[in-house]
Amino acid sequence: MVSNTIDIVVEFTGGLEMLFSNERKHKIALPAADKDGKPSNIAFLVRYLCENLMTDARKELFVMDNTVRPGILVLINEADWELEGEANYEIQKNDDILFVSTLHGG
């Protein structure tokens, strides 16, 4: 039987957790495919997080031009997302996706 969801862990640090109920770690049952039937990837995850998990209205602190804003490091299973295909990386069961803000006020 094929599952309609993918169980993953999403974590936020560096202040991003304030956008997501002040919780650092979230266990998510992500839809296995987007509305077009394509396998879920990081780009879909970012949209999903903004629409379903973000509790703060300041979406611009997390995304810019429909992708993760510059200054946010994304790690997929402890590897830089640039090594994994960035937004096109197809999410796998039990992936651990970490978003780290490197932006600091002063």
Side-chain angles (χ1 to χ4, degrees), residues 4-21:
N4 293 336
T5 61
I6 303 169
D7 293 328
I8 63 171
V9 173
V10 177
E11 297 182 69
F12 303 97
T13 64
L16 288 175
E17 61 274 13
M18 73 178 188
L19 302 175
F20 299 90
S21 303

Side-chain angles (χ1 to χ4, degrees), residues 4 6 11 17 27 36-38 46 55 72 83 96-97 101-102 105:
N4 293 336
I6 303 169
E11 297 182 69
E17 61 274 13
K27 292 182 180 179
D36 297 322
K38 295 178 185 169
V46 169
T55 56
I72 295 177
L83 302 173
D96 191 327
I97 315 292
S101 176
T102 61

Side-chain angles (χ1 to χ4, degrees), residues 1 3 16-17 19 21 26 28 32 46 49 51 56 63 70 79 91 94 96:
M1 186 168 104
S3 176
L16 288 175
E17 61 274 13
L19 302 175
S21 303
H26 299 263
I28 298 173
V46 169
L49 293 172
E51 294 169 5
D56 194 296
V63 295
I91 296 176
N94 298 322
D96 191 327

Side-chain angles (χ1 to χ4, degrees), residues 6-98:
I6 303 169
D7 293 328
I8 63 171
V9 173
V10 177
E11 297 182 69
F12 303 97
T13 64
L16 288 175
E17 61 274 13
M18 73 178 188
L19 302 175
F20 299 90
S21 303
N22 285 317
E23 290 183 39
R24 179 179 171 175
K25 184 181 272 191
H26 299 263
K27 292 182 180 179
I28 298 173
L30 185 71
D34 65 15
K35 63 180 172 58
D36 297 322
K38 295 178 185 169
S40 292
N41 59 19
I42 296 292
F44 173 75
L45 173 63
V46 169
R47 287 190 307 273
Y48 180 88
L49 293 172
C50 289
E51 294 169 5
N52 299 286
L53 199 62
M54 186 178 283
T55 56
D56 194 296
R58 297 172 295 172
K59 183 177 165 182
E60 69 278 2
L61 296 176
F62 184 58
V63 295
M64 177 183 290
D65 298 328
N66 296 317
T67 190
V68 176
R69 71 175 290 126
I72 295 177
L73 177 65
V74 182
L75 299 177
I76 302 168
N77 302 319
E78 299 183 10
D80 190 325
W81 76 325
E82 291 179 359
L83 302 173
E84 302 290 347
E86 298 184 356
N88 294 319
Y89 171 79
E90 289 185 10
I91 296 176
Q92 307 296 312
K93 182 178 179 184
N94 298 322
D95 275 351
D96 191 327
I97 315 292
L98 174 61

